[in-house]
Structures are given as structure tokens and as C-alpha cells.
Amino acid sequence: MKTTRSSIRVIALLLLVLALPSFLCAQSRPAADLIIRNAKIWTVDKNRPTAEAVAVLGERIVAVGSSAEIEAWQSVHTRVIDAAGKLLLPGFNDSHVHFVDGGLALDSVELNDATSAEEFARRIGERARRTPKGEWISGGDWDETKWTPARMPTKELIDSVTPDTPVFVSRYDGHMALANSVTLRLAGITSKTPDPPGGVIVRDAQGNPTGALKDAAMDYVYKIEPPLTHEQRLKAVKRALAHAASLGVTSVQHMNPEYADVAVYHELLQRGELTARIYAAPLITGVDDQVKIGVRHAFGDPFLRIGALKAYADGSLGSATAYFFEPFSNQPDNHGLLSDEMHPVSLMQDRMMRADAAGLQICTHAIGDQGITIILDIYSEIVKAHGESNRRFRIEHAQHMAAKDFERFAQLHVIASVQPYHAIDDGRWAEERIGHDRASRAYAFRTFLNHGVRLAFGTDWNVAPLNPMLTVYAAVTRATLDGKNPNGWFPEQKLTLPETIEAYTMGSAYAEFQENEKGSITPGKLADMVLLNDDIFAIDPAKIREVKVVMTIVGGKTVWDATDKKGH
Ligand SMILES: [Zn+2]
């Protein structure tokens, strides 16, 4: 008995000595907190495009490799996820969202899929019956192009069903909204009210307001609409965060937040409840606020950064307020509107000069070709005045390019922050409004890449759905929503899947100065990843829009797990 025991001891010792090199090696690094193994990983890292497994320590990725290689990082304390061969991507970074509006829209009256004016009115009436006295009906995201027959809504449609409720429902593009008579009265808008610079009060043949207000004219109402309470804002952000997590969106760049939105983000950050990383770009009209603080671009925490400004050059194509050189093909007297921030253009240039001098990043909404040209002119003046630097100018939307401007875009290193979903949505009717030639340079993602312009992908949520699968689908198929272009609307502008994913991850990270922190599954980067239920590289591209998110991981923590939700 004794001898046997001691021989076992000897054998054990021998085995230990033999195993020593690998034992020492395993001890030289801490064990991973999380390992995802048996995955098909598309890393978006050119040094290692594909892998099977990833190890995470704390909030960061520590190793990427084969399942066998990554096993060395495992201990009894490691949470191991077997991905069962599913596709793992870096988390999606939406470079252009209106996050609080999006959260509010999830709870607001749903008008976007109404198919007639009657249905639009019925839904508003129904909401009015459930709305407590004194509260407003807003949001809605209506789209009259989906109605049969398509026509611009007027207050008469909804007045009878909303006799006491103020209504101010927005068109889905955010550049027009419809007020009922209660709201027009509260805002003091009559036939005598002048159109403000950068805005239009739509009027009937007698000159009376129809209730539709475009761009800066909407401010007449915003001025008197009661502001969100802190509770309403908090609730909207939480709704938006949960929605983003369920869709694999791990970072968002919030365009024109109110300062109160940023305060809510910070509150949630301190409570450990931010489940998406946020870069906030308040309106440039408040440029001096950020200049005074002295922070520069991308200042802050991995979960919350500031240091960018959002400007507006013009309106939108859908509202016929995008600023073009030539008139709209179907409106010979209208070539669009410059925004109120551009009256005069020198006002915009002064603000941008101050922003750039302070090291703040500038993100400018510009949709029409002339709107884009003017902004590129200003950007070029800024470079002349302040010299070359790593400032990463952005143009948001960059929708309808003049042929001469692609080259300038590249020379000025301007990032095209674009939304492919708009292409398959607006592509239904864009050609009627701007003609074939201009449409050939619309949403021209391939042409941008050919000129060496960097793309950042986003959705403009809540103007378009936040779901990245719809955006990926749009970029690779360009199949318009009406089914009329199954092989792609201007198919020469389609992108490949790797190009699309890169624009949506690394491209967006670059657009917020975070390409060394996120955007790819690379050791050292933040562990933001998304596991999909289907392999978008293997399936028919037409099916990409049906793909769902199985799991979303932000900073190594699971913020969405589809299997958890089953049966709830
Ligand atoms: Zn937007």
C-alpha cells in the first residue's frame, strides 16, 4: 500500500516535470473571462481576416485564433460560448443616429406603414382618444409616397379627430411635419406668418397654412412644444439602448443631441447601464459651448464621447428641400433650400472656423449637389486657414454628388457618412425628382471608394430602421423597397459584403477617431461583437434582411441574448 502510494507520487512528479513548459506558459498570463469558440469569425482585421475563436479579458479582446489556440486561455472561471459555427462580426457602429428620437418613436403613433390618407388619419384619431388631456401627439414618421393615392397631408385630414389634442407629426425624413389646427393656433401660425429663412409654411391657393411645415418653419412649433421631462428622456434612451442591443448595434454616433440627452447618457454610464457606446455631436449653433470647455474631438470615456459638432447645409430630397444647382425635375421653380444655419453662408463658415480652431470635429448634413459643394468650399477654406491636420471632416448623407466633387472629397480627406437604406427607399422615386443623370451619382458608394474616399455607414435612425441587416442588404443589393429593381438600382454602385461590413465597423470607428479602439476583432481592442443566426457570406443576398442577432456583446458583457428572450 505504502509503496504503491509513493510510486504514484513519483509518477505524478514526473508528469508534472514533463508538463512544466506548458504549465509555466499557462501561468504567465491570466485566464480569459470569456471565450467564444467554434465560430466563423470575420474579423475586419487585414492581418487576420478570419478565425474560429476569441478570448476576452475584462472589456478587451486578448487573443484571436483557432479554437485550439484559444483554449490555452481557458480556466474554470472562463465563460465559454460555443458558437456552433455561426458568424461572429465586430459590433455594428451606426455613424448617424437620432437616438432619443428613435427611442421616442418606438412608443409613438406608428404612421410610416400607413397605405392611405384615411389610414393615416384613423391612426392619429385612435391615438388622440388614448392621449391624456394636454399631451401632444408627435413623431409618427409618415411617408405619403406609400399612400394610394400619394398626396401631401393637410390639417383637414385630422382636425375632426383631434379637436383638443395638439398634433405635430413628422415626415419620416424629419424635414417636414404636419400640424393640426390646435397646434397652428398655439404656435400663432396664420396666413400672415412669413416663411422663415430656410423654411416654408405650405399654403393653399388662398394663402392659408395647410398645416405642413418644412425645415426651419417647424421651429415655430418646436418653440412652443413642451420639452421632454427627464423621465421621458430617460425612458426613451433605455428603449433605444435595448433596441440597439437586440440588433447588434454596439456603438452609435448621435447627431444633434440636446445637451439634456448627453446628461442622461452620463447618468446611465455612471449606473453602468449604457449598453452601446455613444459619440455625441450637438448642433454647431452651440459651437462656443464646446470651444469654451476646451475639449477636442473624441474626448471622454469609451462609452461616451463628445467633441464633434453637427451642422446642416440643406434639407432633404423627399421634402424637396435638398439644395441643388439645377431645379427638381418635377418642380422647375424649386432647386431646394439652404438651412437657416447657412443664412448667410459666412455665418456657417465662421462657426466652422471656430470649431476647427478648437480641434472639434465637424459633421455636416449636406444632401443636394450644391449644398455639398458649398460645404466642401468651406472645408477647403478651413484647410487653407489652419493647415493640414488629422481633423476628419465629415459630410453626412453626401447623397447627390456633382461629378467634380468626388475628387475634392478625397483631396480634403472628407469622410462620407452615408446611409445605404436611403438608397433603396428613396430609389423608388428619386429619378422622377432629379432625373437619370443626377440619379447616377446618388448614393454613389462605389464611386466614393474608387476615389479613395472613406465611408462610414449608418442608418439615420429614426429616419430609417436601425437594423444593420437592412443596411447591409441595401448596400450589397441596392434592390429598391418596391421590388422594381431586383438586380439593383444603379447596380454599378453596389458594394461587396466585406466592403459593406468594413464601412459599418472600421469605417464608422475611423469617423469617430476610434479605429484603434474598436471596429475589428483584434487583440487589444474593446470586445464589441455580434453573433448572427445565419451566415450572410453564404446565403442569397436577398435573404440578408431576414438575418437575426443571436447575441450582442459590448465590452465583454452580453447585452442581448436571443435565447434568453424565448418564452418571455
Ligand atoms: Zn440625420
Side-chain angles (χ1 to χ4, degrees):
M1 194 81 174
K2 211 178 169 186
T3 23
T4 320
R5 226 181 239 161
S6 77
S7 32
I8 287 174
R9 220 175 280 146
V10 170
I11 291 165
L13 196 65
L14 247 171
L15 281 173
L16 189 64
V17 171
L18 285 172
L20 208 54
S22 74
F23 174 79
L24 274 177
C25 180
Q27 286 303 298
S28 69
R29 64 183 168 221
D33 295 314
L34 168 69
I35 284 176
I36 303 171
R37 56 183 297 276
N38 193 20
K40 179 178 171 184
I41 305 181
W42 182 256
T43 63
V44 195
D45 180 342
K46 295 208 162 55
N47 296 319
R48 176 166 207 152
T50 60
E52 280 177 352
V54 54
V56 174
L57 182 61
E59 61 175 6
R60 289 188 186 263
I61 294 162
V62 286
V64 179
S66 67
S67 291
E69 283 163 352
I70 296 305
E71 215 178 290
W73 285 87
Q74 193 173 326
S75 83
V76 286
H77 304 294
T78 305
R79 183 164 71 106
V80 180
I81 296 169
D82 186 327
K86 290 192 164 55
L87 183 65
L88 186 76
L89 300 174
F92 291 101
N93 182 338
D94 194 313
S95 69
H96 187 124
V97 295
H98 303 281
F99 210 55
V100 173
D101 290 341
L104 289 171
L106 293 172
D107 280 328
S108 78
V109 58
E110 172 61 59
L111 301 174
N112 190 264
D113 59 357
T115 53
S116 68
E118 294 69 34
E119 179 63 15
F120 167 86
R122 193 190 62 73
R123 291 186 190 186
I124 291 174
E126 198 173 84
R127 175 57 74 115
R129 281 195 296 281
R130 295 191 281 120
T131 301
K133 204 163 171 51
E135 274 188 31
W136 286 52
I137 296 177
S138 55
D141 297 329
W142 50 271
D143 180 358
E144 84 292 348
T145 66
K146 294 180 182 166
W147 301 353
T148 315
R151 64 175 170 112
M152 210 41 86
T154 62
K155 62 183 177 4
E156 283 74 23
L157 256 183
I158 54 172
D159 272 347
S160 65
V161 292
T162 56
D164 315 302
T165 312
V167 176
F168 196 52
V169 285
S170 339
R171 192 170 191 275
Y172 76 103
D173 63 1
H175 290 271
M176 194 182 341
L178 180 72
N180 66 350
S181 289
V182 177
T183 298
L184 288 180
R185 205 159 46 236
L186 287 170
I189 298 172
T190 67
S191 58
K192 297 189 183 69
T193 310
D195 287 353
V200 172
I201 299 171
V202 180
R203 298 164 206 265
D204 64 18
Q206 285 73 45
N208 295 311
T210 67
L213 304 176
K214 292 188 181 188
D215 287 295
M218 300 191 293
D219 292 340
Y220 286 136
V221 175
Y222 291 144
K223 260 185 237 156
I224 56 130
E225 195 177 2
L228 289 181
T229 64
H230 181 72
E231 278 314 307
Q232 285 171 324
R233 206 178 294 274
L234 196 59
K235 188 175 160 212
V237 171
K238 285 180 169 179
R239 282 294 304 263
L241 286 168
H243 190 56
S246 76
L247 296 170
V249 177
T250 57
S251 289
V252 294
Q253 302 177 32
H254 186 166
M255 296 294 124
N256 42 283
E258 293 178 32
Y259 295 155
D261 300 339
V262 181
V264 164
Y265 295 150
H266 199 180
E267 185 179 331
L268 289 170
L269 169 64
Q270 286 181 316
R271 280 154 50 173
E273 292 176 27
L274 268 192
T275 52
R277 305 180 192 280
I278 297 169
Y279 187 39
L283 273 184
I284 199 163
T285 49
V287 54
D288 295 325
D289 297 343
Q290 289 196 67
V291 168
K292 266 185 248 165
I293 308 170
V295 300
R296 299 165 62 83
H297 56 70
F299 167 80
D301 180 275
F303 270 100
L304 180 58
R305 292 180 190 277
I306 57 170
L309 294 162
K310 168 75 184 303
Y312 277 94
D314 61 353
S316 76
L317 183 69
S319 292
T321 51
Y323 195 63
F324 282 93
F325 286 106
E326 301 292 326
F328 289 92
S329 309
N330 59 345
Q331 298 180 20
D333 296 327
N334 178 19
H335 70 111
L337 283 177
L338 286 174
S339 81
D340 49 351
E341 297 166 22
M342 299 276 274
H343 291 274
V345 171
S346 61
L347 172 68
M348 180 70 101
Q349 179 156 331
D350 290 346
R351 282 176 173 154
M352 288 188 173
M353 283 283 181
R354 292 210 292 287
D356 187 74
L360 295 163
Q361 188 184 19
I362 302 168
C363 318
T364 310
H365 164 121
I367 289 185
D369 51 17
Q370 187 167 196
I372 294 168
T373 293
I374 295 172
I375 296 305
L376 291 176
D377 290 345
I378 296 178
Y379 284 177
S380 142
E381 288 301 316
I382 291 173
V383 174
K384 259 186 237 156
H386 300 160
E388 291 281 349
S389 80
N390 184 21
R391 52 170 61 84
R392 302 192 190 180
F393 284 135
R394 297 167 50 152
I395 287 188
E396 306 299 313
H397 313 304
Q399 224 165 266
H400 307 291
M401 293 283 292
K404 64 179 169 66
D405 276 341
F406 288 103
E407 198 51 50
R408 279 215 301 165
F409 230 89
Q411 279 165 3
L412 291 163
H413 309 293
V414 179
I415 297 160
S417 170
V418 294
Q419 301 77 34
Y421 187 86
H422 289 341
I424 62 168
D425 193 355
D426 300 1
R428 292 176 291 130
W429 42 257
E431 235 172 305
E432 268 163 46
R433 302 198 180 188
I434 55 174
H436 185 82
D437 176 56
R438 283 186 290 188
S440 72
R441 293 183 305 277
Y443 318 92
F445 312 138
R446 168 65 54 205
T447 311
F448 276 125
L449 286 186
N450 288 348
H451 282 81
V453 173
R454 283 179 193 266
L455 296 176
F457 272 4
T459 59
D460 206 5
W461 186 51
N462 60 325
V463 177
L466 185 64
N467 183 353
M469 287 304 120
L470 298 177
T471 290
V472 171
Y473 165 81
V476 301
T477 70
R478 290 181 75 97
T480 51
L481 295 176
D482 56 10
K484 289 188 181 152
N485 298 277
N487 297 317
W489 181 61
F490 295 94
E492 62 278 12
Q493 296 291 347
K494 285 188 211 175
L495 297 190
T496 65
L497 200 46
E499 287 166 341
T500 300
I501 295 170
E502 182 172 358
Y504 221 150
T505 53
M506 280 303 280
S508 298
Y510 182 86
E512 57 160 333
F513 293 88
Q514 296 300 300
E515 73 278 12
N516 295 322
E517 287 291 296
K518 56 192 184 187
S520 65
I521 298 179
T522 301
K525 285 194 173 180
L526 292 163
D528 299 352
M529 298 175 282
V530 54
L531 190 67
L532 301 178
N533 75 343
D534 214 339
D535 181 356
I536 55 178
F537 287 94
I539 61 176
D540 174 359
K543 294 231 155 64
I544 291 174
R545 58 181 160 173
E546 292 155 30
V547 171
K548 298 272 185 291
V549 169
V550 176
M551 187 180 281
T552 306
I553 292 166
V554 176
K557 290 197 180 116
T558 302
V559 299
W560 164 260
D561 183 344
T563 55
D564 272 0
K565 313 292 175 209
K566 280 187 187 134
H568 282 225

